[in-house]
Amino acid sequence: MEYTTGSVRLKRHLRTADATEINVEEAHPHTYRYAGFWMRFWAFIVDLLIVAGLNGVLVSTWVPLIADGDSRWGFFATVFLLPSVLYAIVFFLYFALMTRYFQQTLGKMIFGIRVISTNGANLTWSQLFFREGVGRFLQHAPLLGNLNGLAYLVVACTPKKQGIHDLFAETYVVHIDETS
């Protein structure tokens, strides 16, 4: 049996003992224009501004209601701990929910890029957890001292322009005009 797809010819020989199967990517090749480092960088900067604005509204609204300046622990919790926890929650929810329901954040919308799964299916919650939770934690955690920003340079060095969080979650960031 012979299949032709564009300029690619694939032969499939059917045997009863050892049937070979056609790889989906070989049978239906689709090339994407992957979003590079700078496009993703500027989209991320826009998203950080949005998250900072949302966090500013939450912190200015909720922190004064529970402010406790009478003790050192209350001061620490009000000034440092609560804003940090709120920022982390807003950061995760913004990226996870926007990516789940729209396949892109507002920054990605502005720059015309979106997140897709490597297998072409809809993004799953586990992919989002690994992309926006585990992967971003590893990129932002001070595990390497002040070198954690270098983790984003992986985007510039991989053939399909994947960051560490994309590699964990098996996702790509591509230009919208290529996915339609």
Side-chain angles (χ1 to χ4, degrees):
M1 200 179 279
E2 187 174 299
Y3 297 97
T4 59
T5 56
S7 63
V8 178
R9 291 193 114 139
L10 303 171
K11 289 187 177 184
R12 182 176 178 191
H13 302 284
L14 297 176
R15 291 183 249 160
T16 56
D18 183 29
T20 57
E21 298 204 13
I22 297 175
N23 188 351
V24 174
E25 289 182 6
E26 292 174 357
H28 303 288
H30 187 82
T31 57
Y32 294 109
R33 190 165 57 109
Y34 301 104
F37 173 80
W38 289 109
M39 185 70 68
R40 293 175 66 166
F41 173 78
W42 292 115
F44 187 64
I45 293 297
V46 169
D47 289 329
L48 285 181
L49 291 172
I50 293 167
V51 169
L54 290 171
N55 192 51
V57 169
L58 287 174
V59 169
S60 65
T61 303
W62 291 98
V63 171
L65 295 176
I66 60 171
D68 181 20
D70 295 339
S71 67
R72 289 183 187 174
W73 170 248
F75 178 77
F76 173 77
T78 304
V79 174
F80 297 109
L81 187 63
L82 184 62
S84 298
V85 169
L86 280 175
Y87 184 82
I89 291 170
V90 169
F91 184 90
F92 176 76
L93 288 176
Y94 171 77
F95 280 95
L97 295 176
M98 290 293 292
T99 304
R100 171 71 171 132
Y101 293 110
F102 301 106
Q103 290 185 313
Q104 55 192 168
T105 59
L106 293 173
K108 286 180 178 71
M109 287 179 192
I110 291 169
F111 288 93
I113 56 180
R114 76 170 29 160
V115 180
I116 62 169
S117 180
T118 56
N119 63 7
N122 290 333
L123 296 170
T124 63
W125 285 109
S126 63
Q127 281 180 306
L128 290 170
F129 175 75
F130 279 103
R131 178 181 163 77
E132 306 302 342
V134 175
R136 294 222 192 244
F137 173 77
L138 290 176
Q139 287 181 332
H140 291 280
L143 302 174
L144 303 173
N146 287 333
L147 301 176
N148 52 350
L150 293 176
Y152 284 106
L153 291 179
V154 173
V155 173
C157 300
T158 55
K160 295 182 179 178
K161 313 254 189 262
Q162 291 175 288
I164 292 174
H165 56 293
D166 292 315
L167 294 170
F168 279 129
E170 297 179 350
T171 57
Y172 302 131
V173 178
V174 298
H175 290 270
I176 290 175
D177 57 352
E178 300 297 321
T179 59
S180 305

